[in-house]
Amino acid sequence: MLRNITKLIFSAVLMISLASCGAKKSADEENTHKLPKVKEELLINRLDSLSKERPEHFYTKLSSKYSDSKYNVSFKTSIRMRTDSAFHALITFARIPIYNTMVTPDTLTIVDKRNNCYIQEGMTYLKKTFNVDFKHENIEELILGMPIAWDSNVEYHQIKDPYNYIVSSQPKRNIRRLDADDDVLIRYYLSNDTKSLRRLVIDSPKDTTTITVNYFGREMIDNYSIPTSGDINVKTPREDIYVDFKYNKSIINEPRVLYLAIPNKYERCE
């Protein structure tokens, strides 16, 4: 079984789909009271500011659950990051290291300790395997709860909604007309005080895939707003994936060694 779910677990880690032992929260939870009106410019400027709040070093431990139509898996993950350089994740079952992973801007490496094999590919591997065109910096953004793929040069638009503060990469009139030739649509939901990202919805018409990330809690650590819990839903034509997450310990800007070695006896995973 572990051999069969290697890719599924790793995809969950990459998409910040990590876990909480509490009750499952609905990804469709919405505000029930109307929010004060806020100018579009303020929301866009706030997201632009949040997109720049990236610590140089980050460390966290997570308790994780993953479920789809076939599997229901719990695991622990230790994450170390050095901004714009490397992302390291050690995944354990019952305190035993199972998968050791390193992601750099160019390379993805996964060492499967249970089956004595490894995967080492360019970052295009993610697109080919999971239908998700993630870059190294996007993984950092998801883990840190930042606006993923925010581009100050893009013309963003506020989606009028009395119950939510939403900024979209496309105008509302275009959303319903999306087809397979359109680019990815991203919608950013701000918290009620507009100070943090509450939800992220990514629609990829080409892949007919929708990823929804919810952040249910945050804490301030050294002036950075870091998630404490949340969930992710991934809907594809073949599968629906759900994971919820809880950060057990987060540390900002304390440099840690990021290192991954592939034992000589290991062969490439089939």
Side-chain angles (χ1 to χ4, degrees):
M1 177 180 176
L2 289 175
R3 189 178 184 86
N4 294 333
I5 64 174
T6 301
K7 293 180 180 179
L8 297 178
I9 292 176
F10 184 65
S11 64
V13 173
L14 290 184
M15 294 182 293
I16 198 173
S17 44
L18 308 160
S20 135
C21 297
K24 180 176 177 179
K25 300 184 180 181
S26 170
D28 297 321
E29 286 183 352
E30 297 285 357
N31 293 322
T32 56
H33 301 287
K34 290 186 178 181
L35 299 173
K37 292 184 178 180
V38 174
K39 291 184 178 180
E40 178 181 76
E41 183 181 8
L42 185 148
L43 298 179
I44 293 175
N45 288 341
R46 184 58 54 83
L47 283 163
D48 191 61
S49 177
L50 292 173
S51 73
K52 298 178 174 63
E53 296 178 2
R54 193 189 305 251
E56 185 176 357
H57 300 275
F58 181 68
Y59 170 82
T60 193
K61 291 183 177 180
L62 306 112
S63 300
S64 309
K65 289 181 181 178
Y66 172 101
S67 63
D68 61 22
S69 59
K70 295 181 180 180
Y71 302 112
N72 192 332
V73 183
S74 296
F75 54 97
K76 304 285 186 180
T77 309
S78 175
I79 292 175
R80 303 180 183 192
M81 293 184 347
R82 185 166 63 244
T83 298
D84 299 328
S85 178
F87 166 95
H88 178 267
L90 177 64
I91 302 172
T92 62
F93 289 84
R95 299 183 180 181
I96 300 173
I98 302 296
Y99 302 108
N100 205 355
T101 302
M102 183 78 78
V103 184
T104 69
D106 301 318
T107 306
L108 161 68
T109 304
I110 308 173
V111 175
D112 182 345
K113 292 180 172 291
R114 178 61 62 91
N115 295 296
N116 296 336
C117 66
Y118 70 93
I119 296 171
Q120 192 166 52
E121 302 284 350
M123 289 299 288
T124 56
Y125 175 84
L126 298 181
K127 175 65 175 177
K128 295 175 182 177
T129 307
F130 308 120
N131 284 334
V132 179
D133 192 13
F134 275 163
K135 299 178 181 178
H136 172 265
E137 63 188 42
N138 300 145
I139 298 171
E140 293 181 347
E141 291 160 350
L142 283 169
I143 295 292
L144 293 167
M146 299 172 62
I148 186 173
W150 182 268
D151 186 346
S152 299
N153 297 316
V154 170
E155 183 181 355
Y156 290 97
H157 307 269
Q158 181 180 4
I159 302 298
K160 301 297 183 180
D161 183 333
Y163 301 98
N164 296 281
Y165 295 135
I166 309 172
V167 172
S168 171
S169 60
Q170 294 193 32
K172 186 175 183 179
R173 63 180 178 272
N174 291 353
I175 294 176
R176 294 181 180 179
R177 299 199 298 259
L178 290 175
D179 57 41
D181 295 325
D182 285 305
D183 293 331
V184 170
L185 165 69
I186 306 179
R187 281 166 285 173
Y188 306 90
Y189 290 66
L190 283 155
S191 59
N192 292 354
D193 61 6
T194 73
K195 292 183 178 180
S196 63
L197 184 68
R198 181 173 68 85
R199 176 183 295 176
L200 177 76
V201 180
I202 304 172
D203 287 305
S204 178
K206 292 181 181 180
D207 307 316
T208 56
T209 296
T210 298
I211 301 173
T212 302
V213 181
N214 295 286
Y215 299 105
F216 299 125
R218 287 180 178 268
E219 62 179 336
M220 293 301 296
I221 304 177
D222 294 340
N223 296 319
Y224 291 94
S225 177
I226 303 299
T228 58
S229 64
D231 68 11
I232 186 168
N233 291 266
V234 183
K235 294 185 178 296
T236 74
R238 299 182 301 275
E239 189 65 88
D240 286 353
I241 298 171
Y242 177 87
V243 195
D244 60 7
F245 64 87
K246 183 177 180 181
Y247 293 61
N248 297 315
K249 183 180 182 182
S250 297
I251 299 174
I252 295 290
N253 288 337
E254 289 187 12
R256 294 170 181 260
V257 176
L258 280 75
Y259 177 74
L260 177 62
I262 302 175
N264 292 331
K265 64 179 182 180
Y266 281 26
E267 298 181 350
R268 284 188 173 270
C269 300
E270 297 180 0

